[in-house]
Amino acid sequence: MKLFDNTEIAFKLKSDSELERAYFLFKMIQNQPMVRIGTAVTNFALKAHLPVEGLIRSTVFDHFCGGVTEDDCLPNIEKMYEKGNVHSILDYSVEGKEDEAQFDDALRMTLKTIEFAKEKNSIPFAVFKPTGFGRFALYQKLTEGNSFTDEEQKEWEKVVERYHVVCKAAVEKDVPLLIDAEESWMQDAADDLIEELMELYNKDKAIVFNTLQMYRHDRMEYLKGLYQRAHQKGYHIGMKVVRGAYMEKERARAEEHGYESPICKDKQATDDNYNEAIRFMMEHKNMAIFAGTHNEESSYLLMELANEYKVSSNDTRMWFGQLYGMSDHISFNLAQQGYNVAKYVPFGPVRDVMPYLIRRAEENTSVAGQTSRELNLLKTEKKRRKL
Protein backbone atom coordinates (compact mmCIF):
# COMPACT_ATOMS: atom_id res chain seq x y z
CA MET A 1 0.00 0.00 0.00
CA LYS A 2 1.39 3.39 -0.97
CA LEU A 3 1.76 5.97 1.79
CA PHE A 4 -1.08 8.23 0.63
CA ASP A 5 -3.58 5.37 0.26
CA ASN A 6 -4.01 4.98 4.01
CA THR A 7 -7.51 6.42 4.55
CA GLU A 8 -7.67 5.36 8.20
CA ILE A 9 -4.89 7.85 9.03
CA ALA A 10 -6.13 10.41 6.49
CA PHE A 11 -9.62 10.70 8.00
CA LYS A 12 -9.04 9.68 11.61
CA LEU A 13 -10.24 13.10 12.86
CA LYS A 14 -13.52 12.94 10.91
CA SER A 15 -16.66 11.56 12.53
CA ASP A 16 -18.99 9.46 10.37
CA SER A 17 -21.28 12.44 9.81
CA GLU A 18 -18.34 14.70 8.82
CA LEU A 19 -17.25 12.02 6.39
CA GLU A 20 -20.75 11.96 4.87
CA ARG A 21 -20.82 15.77 4.60
CA ALA A 22 -17.43 15.82 2.85
CA TYR A 23 -18.62 13.14 0.43
CA PHE A 24 -21.81 15.09 -0.33
CA LEU A 25 -19.83 18.33 -0.88
CA PHE A 26 -17.30 16.87 -3.31
CA LYS A 27 -20.18 15.13 -5.14
CA MET A 28 -21.71 18.59 -5.66
CA ILE A 29 -18.40 20.17 -6.66
CA GLN A 30 -17.82 17.44 -9.23
CA ASN A 31 -20.82 18.76 -11.14
CA GLN A 32 -19.59 21.77 -13.16
CA PRO A 33 -22.99 23.26 -14.08
CA MET A 34 -24.01 22.85 -10.44
CA VAL A 35 -20.96 24.84 -9.28
CA ARG A 36 -21.70 27.61 -11.81
CA ILE A 37 -25.37 27.84 -10.82
CA GLY A 38 -24.55 27.56 -7.11
CA THR A 39 -21.98 30.34 -7.41
CA ALA A 40 -24.41 32.66 -9.20
CA VAL A 41 -27.24 31.95 -6.75
CA THR A 42 -24.96 32.40 -3.73
CA ASN A 43 -23.61 35.72 -5.02
CA PHE A 44 -27.13 36.95 -5.70
CA ALA A 45 -28.40 35.82 -2.29
CA LEU A 46 -25.55 37.55 -0.46
CA LYS A 47 -25.94 40.78 -2.45
CA ALA A 48 -29.68 40.76 -1.82
CA HIS A 49 -29.01 40.11 1.89
CA LEU A 50 -31.11 36.94 1.86
CA PRO A 51 -30.64 34.78 4.97
CA VAL A 52 -28.31 32.19 3.40
CA GLU A 53 -25.30 32.54 5.65
CA GLY A 54 -26.44 29.71 7.94
CA LEU A 55 -26.73 27.33 5.00
CA ILE A 56 -23.33 28.35 3.59
CA ARG A 57 -21.84 28.05 7.06
CA SER A 58 -23.09 24.52 7.66
CA THR A 59 -21.92 23.19 4.29
CA VAL A 60 -19.10 24.63 2.21
CA PHE A 61 -17.82 27.18 4.78
CA ASP A 62 -17.36 24.71 7.63
CA HIS A 63 -15.62 22.25 5.33
CA PHE A 64 -13.07 24.66 3.80
CA CYS A 65 -12.76 27.28 6.57
CA GLY A 66 -11.70 27.11 10.20
CA GLY A 67 -14.23 29.67 11.43
CA VAL A 68 -15.33 33.29 11.38
CA THR A 69 -12.65 34.55 13.81
CA GLU A 70 -9.20 33.27 14.68
CA ASP A 71 -10.54 32.07 18.07
CA ASP A 72 -13.21 30.07 16.23
CA CYS A 73 -10.42 28.20 14.45
CA LEU A 74 -8.54 27.16 17.58
CA PRO A 75 -10.46 23.97 18.46
CA ASN A 76 -9.88 22.63 14.92
CA ILE A 77 -6.24 23.72 14.97
CA GLU A 78 -5.51 22.09 18.31
CA LYS A 79 -7.32 18.89 17.33
CA MET A 80 -5.29 18.52 14.12
CA TYR A 81 -2.07 19.21 16.00
CA GLU A 82 -2.67 17.04 19.05
CA LYS A 83 -4.24 14.07 17.27
CA GLY A 84 -2.61 14.23 13.84
CA ASN A 85 0.64 16.18 14.33
CA VAL A 86 -0.56 18.52 11.54
CA HIS A 87 0.15 22.25 12.02
CA SER A 88 -2.02 25.14 10.84
CA ILE A 89 -1.53 28.54 9.24
CA LEU A 90 -4.25 31.09 9.97
CA ASP A 91 -5.20 32.71 6.68
CA TYR A 92 -7.42 35.79 6.91
CA SER A 93 -9.17 35.19 3.58
CA VAL A 94 -10.99 38.47 3.06
CA GLU A 95 -10.30 39.54 -0.52
CA GLY A 96 -10.73 42.48 -2.86
CA LYS A 97 -10.74 45.34 -0.35
CA GLU A 98 -9.89 48.82 -1.58
CA ASP A 99 -9.55 51.38 1.18
CA GLU A 100 -6.92 52.38 3.72
CA ALA A 101 -8.98 51.43 6.77
CA GLN A 102 -9.41 47.91 5.42
CA PHE A 103 -5.68 47.62 4.65
CA ASP A 104 -4.89 48.72 8.21
CA ASP A 105 -7.36 46.08 9.43
CA ALA A 106 -5.54 43.41 7.44
CA LEU A 107 -2.26 44.62 8.92
CA ARG A 108 -3.68 44.37 12.45
CA MET A 109 -5.02 40.90 11.71
CA THR A 110 -1.63 39.75 10.36
CA LEU A 111 0.17 41.10 13.45
CA LYS A 112 -2.37 39.28 15.59
CA THR A 113 -1.71 35.99 13.78
CA ILE A 114 2.05 36.51 14.29
CA GLU A 115 1.31 36.83 18.04
CA PHE A 116 -0.79 33.65 17.88
CA ALA A 117 1.98 31.81 16.06
CA LYS A 118 4.52 32.95 18.64
CA GLU A 119 2.41 31.48 21.44
CA LYS A 120 1.32 28.23 19.81
CA ASN A 121 3.46 25.35 18.58
CA SER A 122 0.54 24.33 16.38
CA ILE A 123 0.90 27.53 14.25
CA PRO A 124 4.34 27.75 12.62
CA PHE A 125 3.80 30.59 10.09
CA ALA A 126 1.83 33.78 9.50
CA VAL A 127 0.56 34.77 6.04
CA PHE A 128 -0.91 37.68 4.08
CA LYS A 129 -1.77 38.64 0.50
CA PRO A 130 -0.13 41.64 -1.21
CA THR A 131 -3.55 43.13 -2.00
CA GLY A 132 -4.44 42.82 1.67
CA PHE A 133 -2.01 45.70 2.25
CA GLY A 134 -2.63 47.90 -0.81
CA ARG A 135 -4.73 48.45 -3.90
CA PHE A 136 -4.33 46.07 -6.83
CA ALA A 137 -4.14 49.04 -9.22
CA LEU A 138 -1.01 50.36 -7.48
CA TYR A 139 0.86 47.07 -7.88
CA GLN A 140 -0.33 46.88 -11.47
CA LYS A 141 0.85 50.40 -12.30
CA LEU A 142 4.29 49.67 -10.86
CA THR A 143 4.50 46.28 -12.64
CA GLU A 144 3.65 47.93 -15.96
CA GLY A 145 6.40 50.50 -15.41
CA ASN A 146 4.08 53.52 -15.21
CA SER A 147 4.90 56.35 -12.84
CA PHE A 148 2.77 57.25 -9.84
CA THR A 149 1.04 60.54 -9.20
CA ASP A 150 2.17 62.28 -5.98
CA GLU A 151 -0.97 60.96 -4.31
CA GLU A 152 -0.27 57.39 -5.42
CA GLN A 153 3.37 57.68 -4.35
CA LYS A 154 2.23 58.54 -0.82
CA GLU A 155 -0.22 55.64 -0.91
CA TRP A 156 2.50 53.23 -2.05
CA GLU A 157 4.81 54.39 0.74
CA LYS A 158 2.08 53.38 3.20
CA VAL A 159 1.87 49.95 1.56
CA VAL A 160 5.64 49.49 1.89
CA GLU A 161 5.45 50.66 5.50
CA ARG A 162 2.85 47.93 6.27
CA TYR A 163 5.19 45.27 4.87
CA HIS A 164 8.05 46.52 7.05
CA VAL A 165 5.85 46.56 10.15
CA VAL A 166 4.89 42.87 9.73
CA CYS A 167 8.39 41.78 8.73
CA LYS A 168 9.91 43.45 11.80
CA ALA A 169 7.30 41.77 14.02
CA ALA A 170 8.02 38.42 12.34
CA VAL A 171 11.77 38.75 12.94
CA GLU A 172 11.24 39.88 16.53
CA LYS A 173 8.87 36.99 17.32
CA ASP A 174 10.82 34.53 15.16
CA VAL A 175 7.73 33.60 13.14
CA PRO A 176 8.31 33.02 9.40
CA LEU A 177 5.97 34.99 7.15
CA LEU A 178 4.45 33.66 3.91
CA ILE A 179 3.42 36.27 1.33
CA ASP A 180 1.00 34.91 -1.26
CA ALA A 181 1.29 35.47 -5.02
CA GLU A 182 -1.52 36.96 -7.09
CA GLU A 183 -2.20 37.77 -10.77
CA SER A 184 0.82 38.09 -13.09
CA TRP A 185 0.01 41.65 -14.15
CA MET A 186 0.60 42.95 -10.62
CA GLN A 187 3.13 40.40 -9.34
CA ASP A 188 6.43 42.04 -10.40
CA ALA A 189 5.82 44.93 -8.02
CA ALA A 190 5.22 42.51 -5.14
CA ASP A 191 8.26 40.37 -6.12
CA ASP A 192 10.59 43.39 -6.16
CA LEU A 193 9.38 44.59 -2.79
CA ILE A 194 9.60 41.12 -1.21
CA GLU A 195 13.12 40.66 -2.58
CA GLU A 196 14.20 43.88 -0.82
CA LEU A 197 12.60 42.58 2.38
CA MET A 198 14.41 39.24 2.09
CA GLU A 199 17.71 41.07 1.71
CA LEU A 200 16.96 43.09 4.82
CA TYR A 201 15.33 40.51 7.10
CA ASN A 202 16.66 37.11 5.94
CA LYS A 203 20.27 37.63 7.02
CA ASP A 204 20.50 34.61 9.34
CA LYS A 205 17.67 32.43 8.02
CA ALA A 206 14.51 32.63 5.93
CA ILE A 207 11.83 34.64 7.75
CA VAL A 208 10.23 36.38 4.74
CA PHE A 209 8.85 33.94 2.13
CA ASN A 210 7.63 34.86 -1.34
CA THR A 211 5.40 32.57 -3.44
CA LEU A 212 6.20 31.03 -6.83
CA GLN A 213 3.26 30.01 -9.02
CA MET A 214 4.74 27.28 -11.18
CA TYR A 215 1.92 27.26 -13.74
CA ARG A 216 3.77 30.35 -15.02
CA HIS A 217 6.46 29.31 -17.50
CA ASP A 218 8.79 32.19 -16.48
CA ARG A 219 9.08 31.31 -12.79
CA MET A 220 12.03 28.92 -13.02
CA GLU A 221 14.11 31.62 -14.64
CA TYR A 222 13.01 34.06 -11.93
CA LEU A 223 14.00 31.60 -9.17
CA LYS A 224 17.47 31.05 -10.66
CA GLY A 225 18.03 34.82 -10.97
CA LEU A 226 16.88 35.38 -7.40
CA TYR A 227 19.24 32.67 -6.18
CA GLN A 228 22.20 34.38 -7.92
CA ARG A 229 21.33 37.74 -6.36
CA ALA A 230 20.81 36.27 -2.88
CA HIS A 231 24.06 34.33 -3.18
CA GLN A 232 25.99 37.51 -4.06
CA LYS A 233 24.40 39.59 -1.31
CA GLY A 234 24.47 36.87 1.32
CA TYR A 235 20.85 36.41 2.39
CA HIS A 236 18.51 33.43 2.66
CA ILE A 237 15.58 32.72 0.34
CA GLY A 238 12.22 31.58 1.69
CA MET A 239 9.83 30.35 -0.98
CA LYS A 240 6.38 28.86 -1.00
CA VAL A 241 6.06 26.83 -4.19
CA VAL A 242 2.55 26.29 -5.57
CA ARG A 243 1.05 25.46 -8.93
CA GLY A 244 -1.25 28.52 -8.96
CA ALA A 245 -4.82 29.67 -8.51
CA TYR A 246 -5.78 32.07 -11.31
CA MET A 247 -5.37 30.00 -14.46
CA GLU A 248 -8.66 30.74 -16.26
CA LYS A 249 -8.36 34.44 -15.41
CA GLU A 250 -4.75 34.60 -16.66
CA ARG A 251 -5.53 32.92 -19.98
CA ALA A 252 -8.64 35.02 -20.58
CA ARG A 253 -6.78 38.30 -19.95
CA ALA A 254 -3.85 37.31 -22.17
CA GLU A 255 -6.27 36.55 -24.99
CA GLU A 256 -8.25 39.73 -24.46
CA HIS A 257 -5.14 41.96 -24.40
CA GLY A 258 -3.30 40.06 -27.13
CA TYR A 259 -0.15 38.98 -25.27
CA GLU A 260 1.34 35.52 -24.81
CA SER A 261 -0.28 33.69 -21.91
CA PRO A 262 2.07 33.40 -18.92
CA ILE A 263 0.61 29.96 -18.18
CA CYS A 264 2.37 26.72 -19.15
CA LYS A 265 0.92 25.05 -22.23
CA ASP A 266 -0.54 22.07 -20.33
CA LYS A 267 -0.81 20.26 -17.00
CA GLN A 268 2.30 18.16 -17.69
CA ALA A 269 4.45 21.24 -18.35
CA THR A 270 3.19 22.75 -15.06
CA ASP A 271 4.00 19.54 -13.16
CA ASP A 272 7.50 19.42 -14.68
CA ASN A 273 8.05 23.09 -13.84
CA TYR A 274 6.89 22.55 -10.24
CA ASN A 275 9.15 19.54 -9.77
CA GLU A 276 12.11 21.39 -11.28
CA ALA A 277 11.62 24.21 -8.76
CA ILE A 278 11.61 21.91 -5.72
CA ARG A 279 14.61 20.04 -7.13
CA PHE A 280 16.52 23.33 -7.60
CA MET A 281 15.66 24.49 -4.08
CA MET A 282 16.76 21.25 -2.45
CA GLU A 283 20.04 21.25 -4.43
CA HIS A 284 21.07 24.74 -3.33
CA LYS A 285 21.99 26.00 0.12
CA ASN A 286 20.42 28.92 2.02
CA MET A 287 16.92 28.19 0.78
CA ALA A 288 13.85 27.24 2.80
CA ILE A 289 10.95 25.61 0.98
CA PHE A 290 7.26 25.50 1.76
CA ALA A 291 5.86 23.06 -0.81
CA GLY A 292 2.18 23.89 -1.17
CA THR A 293 0.87 20.95 -3.15
CA HIS A 294 -2.06 18.56 -3.47
CA ASN A 295 -0.09 16.42 -5.88
CA GLU A 296 1.07 13.00 -4.69
CA GLU A 297 3.94 12.71 -7.18
CA SER A 298 5.46 16.06 -6.19
CA SER A 299 5.13 15.10 -2.52
CA TYR A 300 6.91 11.77 -3.09
CA LEU A 301 9.61 13.61 -5.07
CA LEU A 302 10.28 16.05 -2.22
CA MET A 303 10.57 13.13 0.21
CA GLU A 304 13.10 11.45 -2.12
CA LEU A 305 15.08 14.69 -2.50
CA ALA A 306 15.19 15.17 1.27
CA ASN A 307 16.58 11.68 1.56
CA GLU A 308 19.11 12.28 -1.22
CA TYR A 309 20.39 15.57 0.25
CA LYS A 310 20.34 14.29 3.84
CA VAL A 311 17.68 16.75 4.97
CA SER A 312 15.87 15.28 7.98
CA SER A 313 12.08 14.99 7.76
CA ASN A 314 11.58 17.55 10.56
CA ASP A 315 14.15 20.11 9.30
CA THR A 316 12.41 23.49 9.71
CA ARG A 317 13.63 24.60 6.26
CA MET A 318 11.30 22.10 4.61
CA TRP A 319 7.51 22.15 4.93
CA PHE A 320 4.62 20.54 3.11
CA GLY A 321 1.33 22.46 2.93
CA GLN A 322 -2.24 21.71 1.89
CA LEU A 323 -5.51 23.59 2.16
CA TYR A 324 -7.89 22.86 5.01
CA GLY A 325 -10.67 20.56 3.80
CA MET A 326 -8.58 19.03 1.01
CA SER A 327 -5.96 16.31 0.53
CA ASP A 328 -6.05 14.99 4.08
CA HIS A 329 -4.57 11.76 2.70
CA ILE A 330 -1.36 13.70 1.96
CA SER A 331 -1.29 15.89 5.09
CA PHE A 332 -1.99 13.29 7.77
CA ASN A 333 0.06 10.49 6.25
CA LEU A 334 3.10 12.78 5.83
CA ALA A 335 2.74 14.03 9.41
CA GLN A 336 2.50 10.42 10.61
CA GLN A 337 5.93 9.86 8.97
CA GLY A 338 7.40 12.80 10.92
CA TYR A 339 7.41 15.45 8.17
CA ASN A 340 6.56 19.11 8.83
CA VAL A 341 3.04 19.62 7.52
CA ALA A 342 0.76 22.65 7.75
CA LYS A 343 -2.81 23.20 6.67
CA TYR A 344 -3.80 26.64 5.38
CA VAL A 345 -6.85 27.44 7.54
CA PRO A 346 -8.90 30.30 6.05
CA PHE A 347 -11.12 32.38 8.32
CA GLY A 348 -13.21 35.54 8.17
CA PRO A 349 -16.86 36.66 8.03
CA VAL A 350 -18.91 34.31 5.81
CA ARG A 351 -19.81 36.90 3.15
CA ASP A 352 -16.25 38.26 3.00
CA VAL A 353 -14.74 34.81 2.54
CA MET A 354 -17.12 33.87 -0.31
CA PRO A 355 -14.72 34.93 -3.14
CA TYR A 356 -12.15 32.56 -1.65
CA LEU A 357 -14.68 29.70 -1.37
CA ILE A 358 -15.94 30.23 -4.90
CA ARG A 359 -12.37 30.07 -6.18
CA ARG A 360 -11.86 26.81 -4.28
CA ALA A 361 -14.98 25.26 -5.83
CA GLU A 362 -14.08 26.44 -9.34
CA GLU A 363 -10.51 25.23 -8.96
CA ASN A 364 -11.74 21.81 -7.84
CA THR A 365 -13.96 21.49 -10.88
CA SER A 366 -11.23 22.67 -13.26
CA VAL A 367 -8.38 20.51 -11.94
CA ALA A 368 -9.03 17.18 -13.61
CA GLY A 369 -9.15 14.30 -11.20
CA GLN A 370 -8.84 16.27 -7.98
CA THR A 371 -12.48 15.95 -6.93
CA SER A 372 -12.85 12.34 -8.05
CA ARG A 373 -9.72 11.48 -6.07
CA GLU A 374 -11.22 13.03 -2.91
CA LEU A 375 -14.46 11.11 -3.55
CA ASN A 376 -12.66 7.79 -4.04
CA LEU A 377 -10.71 8.21 -0.82
CA LEU A 378 -13.86 9.12 1.13
CA LYS A 379 -15.68 6.15 -0.40
CA THR A 380 -12.81 3.81 0.58
CA GLU A 381 -12.89 5.09 4.16
CA LYS A 382 -16.69 4.76 4.42
CA LYS A 383 -16.38 1.15 3.24
CA ARG A 384 -13.49 0.44 5.65
CA ARG A 385 -15.55 1.74 8.60
CA LYS A 386 -18.57 -0.40 7.63
CA LEU A 387 -16.39 -3.51 7.63
Side-chain angles (χ1 to χ4, degrees):
M1 177 166 160
K2 285 177 98 171
L3 176 65
F4 300 140
D5 294 341
N6 189 327
T7 61
E8 184 176 359
I9 288 172
F11 300 117
K12 65 179 172 187
L13 300 192
K14 285 202 187 319
S15 64
D16 290 350
S17 64
E18 284 169 333
L19 208 61
E20 287 298 343
R21 183 187 67 187
Y23 187 75
F24 166 76
L25 260 182
F26 282 110
K27 259 300 208 220
M28 300 282 279
I29 288 171
Q30 198 178 29
N31 184 333
Q32 237 164 346
M34 185 73 114
V35 169
R36 275 201 295 272
I37 294 162
T39 299
V41 169
T42 305
N43 278 333
F44 169 77
L46 288 170
K47 281 195 180 88
H49 295 280
L50 299 175
V52 289
E53 288 190 22
L55 176 65
I56 295 167
R57 180 100 219 229
S58 62
T59 52
V60 65
F61 184 92
D62 278 354
H63 183 82
F64 291 112
C65 297
V68 172
T69 66
E70 62 280 25
D71 289 313
D72 261 358
C73 301
L74 283 179
N76 284 328
I77 286 173
E78 294 310 325
K79 185 163 97 172
M80 286 195 290
Y81 184 62
E82 283 159 18
K83 296 188 173 164
N85 203 24
V86 170
H87 299 75
S88 296
I89 299 167
L90 279 167
D91 182 16
Y92 184 55
S93 296
V94 173
E95 301 185 358
K97 299 301 182 192
E98 286 285 299
D99 68 55
E100 294 297 306
Q102 289 164 323
F103 299 140
D104 288 336
D105 262 356
L107 171 62
R108 266 195 302 277
M109 192 56 83
T110 311
L111 290 169
K112 203 168 171 183
T113 55
I114 291 173
E115 282 291 339
F116 254 62
K118 169 83 184 134
E119 288 162 23
K120 300 199 174 295
N121 293 335
S122 52
I123 306 175
F125 292 86
V127 65
F128 72 93
K129 279 169 79 87
T131 52
F133 284 6
R135 284 189 306 121
F136 188 100
L138 282 182
Y139 291 98
Q140 184 176 345
K141 204 166 184 184
L142 208 50
T143 297
E144 289 169 352
N146 299 320
S147 43
F148 285 153
T149 63
D150 291 349
E151 204 56 40
E152 286 169 334
Q153 185 56 42
K154 283 199 192 90
E155 200 185 334
W156 180 250
E157 281 161 14
K158 276 191 193 155
V159 176
V160 174
E161 175 61 20
R162 288 183 190 107
Y163 276 80
H164 280 285
V165 169
V166 287
C167 289
K168 281 177 186 149
V171 170
E172 199 181 300
K173 305 276 195 302
D174 196 21
V175 172
L177 186 62
L178 301 167
I179 304 172
D180 284 341
E182 299 187 59
E183 290 87 343
S184 62
W185 58 98
M186 62 72 74
Q187 189 59 40
D188 286 2
D191 287 344
D192 292 347
L193 175 54
I194 297 164
E195 196 171 320
E196 284 169 30
L197 299 166
M198 280 190 199
E199 192 182 333
L200 202 56
Y201 299 108
N202 288 3
K203 291 274 189 257
D204 304 319
K205 62 174 180 181
I207 284 281
V208 179
F209 281 65
N210 198 359
T211 299
L212 281 179
Q213 295 176 308
M214 297 314 295
Y215 66 4
R216 283 181 57 177
H217 49 66
D218 63 349
R219 293 292 83 185
M220 207 48 232
E221 195 185 337
Y222 170 77
L223 177 61
K224 287 174 177 170
L226 176 66
Y227 176 73
Q228 292 303 331
R229 295 188 292 277
H231 190 61
Q232 281 156 8
K233 294 175 178 175
Y235 62 89
H236 294 250
I237 291 173
M239 202 56 87
K240 179 170 73 149
V241 187
V242 300
R243 276 169 170 77
Y246 305 94
M247 191 167 70
E248 271 81 6
K249 206 175 182 180
E250 289 280 0
R251 286 190 171 139
R253 187 178 190 270
E255 198 168 317
E256 188 190 328
H257 290 265
Y259 59 85
E260 187 204 351
S261 168
I263 305 296
C264 291
K265 65 178 194 303
D266 54 26
K267 170 86 166 69
Q268 189 57 53
T270 300
D271 290 344
D272 294 345
N273 211 24
Y274 187 95
N275 292 344
E276 194 187 342
I278 58 176
R279 202 174 270 118
F280 182 85
M281 288 192 72
M282 294 299 280
E283 277 167 13
H284 293 83
K285 285 194 166 45
N286 294 352
M287 290 174 121
I289 183 169
F290 183 98
T293 182
H294 293 198
N295 182 290
E296 287 108 340
E297 298 315 316
S298 295
S299 304
Y300 283 129
L301 174 64
L302 187 51
M303 291 160 74
E304 280 163 30
L305 289 165
N307 197 19
E308 190 181 329
Y309 293 106
K310 310 275 185 289
V311 175
S312 71
S313 58
N314 63 352
D315 190 310
T316 53
R317 293 167 304 169
M318 181 182 73
W319 281 82
F320 292 82
Q322 288 79 41
L323 296 165
Y324 184 70
M326 287 167 68
S327 300
D328 287 346
H329 66 302
I330 295 179
S331 312
F332 287 92
N333 281 304
L334 277 173
Q336 176 86 1
Q337 297 294 315
Y339 288 92
N340 296 319
V341 182
K343 286 284 203 188
Y344 248 61
V345 179
F347 71 98
V350 176
R351 58 179 55 248
D352 291 338
V353 173
M354 276 323 288
Y356 167 85
L357 288 172
I358 286 164
R359 214 171 59 239
R360 277 292 76 79
E362 285 169 350
E363 206 176 299
N364 266 299
T365 46
S366 71
V367 176
Q370 190 147 284
T371 305
S372 47
R373 183 186 62 192
E374 295 279 358
L375 281 168
N376 286 336
L377 290 158
L378 290 160
K379 206 184 287 178
T380 305
E381 179 57 10
K382 277 165 50 167
K383 204 178 288 175
R384 188 195 68 79
R385 289 188 189 185
K386 276 211 180 79
L387 293 173

